[in-house]
Amino acid sequence: MIDVKNLSKSFGDHLVLDNITEHIEQGEKVVIIGPSGSGKSTFLRCLNLLETPTSGTITFEGTEITSPKTNIDLMRRQMGMVFQHFNLFPNMTIRKNITLAPVRTKLMGQAEADDIATTFLKRVGLSEKADAYPAQLSGGQKQRIAIVRALAMKPKVMLFDEPTSALDPEMVGEVLDVMKELADEGMTMVVVTHEMGFAREVGSRVLFMDGGHILEQNEPHAFFAHPKEQRTIDFLSKVL
Ligand code: ADP
Ligand code: MG
């Protein structure tokens, strides 16, 4: 589904991603872990071109999205993204937050978007918040809305950048539960997280990033039971 070839990214003369080649299959749940500053967010943001790669190519379902000929907006709509800090529109109701993009991009009419909002809000247990504003919600509720908002665009893949890192501990579970449900439904997911339980339970593959490289990867059981690289072992000893 996503084919990354020789991807490098520099900010000025700081090389942040160093010649990464990686494939993500449809239905995979790829969990990315690694120390702060290792390039996890930059890698995720390159996948939907929120960052422009310095070199290399990214192909999404056969379309090279790094090609100047590609309509980036059209491709980006197929990739939902959820951020650490929710990024909801503060001046809009929850319903409007969810329906704005699908209506504005003409993916659907307002009535259909409203229906979808109603259905999804029910699924994440937030039906009564449709007419509330983001400021009236807890962090966990805001993040569940951010997930719903991304899903309303009917994406083919969901990218999550530390979706629970800004949450109080008691709210982490409610967000991870929504993500687990999504995984069970077969969504293709790429998740940057420090939640090792989630990586173990939900991940089909764990990638360990360090210094702009994917240093090591494996299926979760083997990854956590038998890490091979010393830097992976050191990292895991700090987070587990
Ligand atoms: P991680 O998500 O693993 O913590 P990031 O991808 O955010 O790492 O950052 C990797 C490196 O790139 C860091 O050294 C960071 O300071 C740098 N970096 C990230 N974004 C920018 C930017 N927009 N401008 C300059 N440097 C950046
Ligand atoms: Mg990051």
Side-chain angles (χ1 to χ4, degrees):
M1 179 178 244
I2 306 176
D3 196 14
V4 177
K5 267 201 196 119
N6 303 114
L7 169 66
S8 291
K9 173 69 181 175
S10 299
F11 293 106
D13 55 10
H14 182 191
L15 182 63
V16 171
L17 297 178
D18 186 6
N19 199 29
I20 292 181
T21 294
E22 191 55 62
H23 307 274
I24 296 169
E25 304 284 340
Q26 181 160 3
E28 270 202 292
K29 294 94 183 61
V30 176
V31 176
I32 303 177
I33 65 173
S36 178
S38 58
K40 305 181 296 298
S41 294
T42 304
F43 178 69
L44 205 62
R45 293 165 64 83
C46 279
L47 292 185
N48 67 353
L49 297 188
L50 281 180
E51 297 286 358
T52 310
T54 305
S55 61
T57 59
I58 298 166
T59 306
F60 180 71
E61 292 197 316
T63 304
E64 192 199 314
I65 62 176
T66 35
S67 157
K69 291 181 204 137
T70 302
N71 181 337
I72 295 172
D73 285 335
L74 219 55
M75 302 310 296
R76 214 177 262 149
R77 282 173 208 167
Q78 304 179 51
M79 304 186 223
M81 180 125 186
V82 175
F83 304 89
Q84 188 175 347
H85 292 289
F86 329 125
N87 300 10
L88 296 177
F89 309 120
N91 56 331
M92 291 178 201
T93 64
I94 296 308
R95 190 195 312 278
K96 191 76 183 173
N97 263 277
I98 297 167
T99 62
L100 183 75
V103 171
R104 195 168 271 184
T105 58
K106 300 194 162 57
L107 181 68
M108 59 187 81
Q110 187 67 49
E112 188 188 345
D114 283 337
D115 280 350
I116 282 183
T118 302
T119 305
F120 280 149
L121 283 172
K122 194 169 174 188
R123 271 181 43 189
V124 299
L126 293 172
S127 296
E128 78 283 9
K129 300 295 184 190
D131 298 310
Y133 286 84
Q136 297 168 291
L137 271 55
S138 71
Q141 290 172 335
K142 277 188 234 184
Q143 196 59 300
R144 282 183 280 158
I145 297 299
I147 294 171
V148 165
R149 181 177 61 171
L151 290 176
M153 288 296 286
K154 303 184 174 173
K156 292 179 175 164
V157 55
M158 286 283 286
L159 312 175
F160 293 87
D161 193 0
E162 299 199 30
T164 60
S165 294
L167 300 177
D168 291 333
E170 74 270 23
M171 293 173 185
V172 170
E174 66 197 51
V175 172
L176 293 181
D177 284 347
V178 171
M179 293 169 64
K180 276 178 208 162
E181 262 182 50
L182 204 53
D184 287 342
E185 288 164 13
M187 178 62 81
T188 308
M189 296 165 66
V190 185
V191 184
V192 175
T193 187
H194 295 297
E195 294 291 331
M196 297 301 144
F198 179 88
R200 214 186 278 266
E201 195 184 327
V202 181
S204 47
R205 197 146 60 93
V206 179
L207 311 185
F208 176 71
M209 284 192 71
D210 190 67
H213 300 272
I214 296 172
L215 193 64
E216 173 165 5
Q217 61 170 293
N218 215 331
E219 57 85 18
H221 178 77
F223 180 89
F224 289 109
H226 310 290
K228 294 185 189 78
E229 301 287 337
Q230 189 57 44
R231 275 186 284 184
T232 314
I233 294 166
D234 292 345
F235 178 78
L236 289 177
S237 75
K238 286 179 204 142
V239 297
L240 287 178

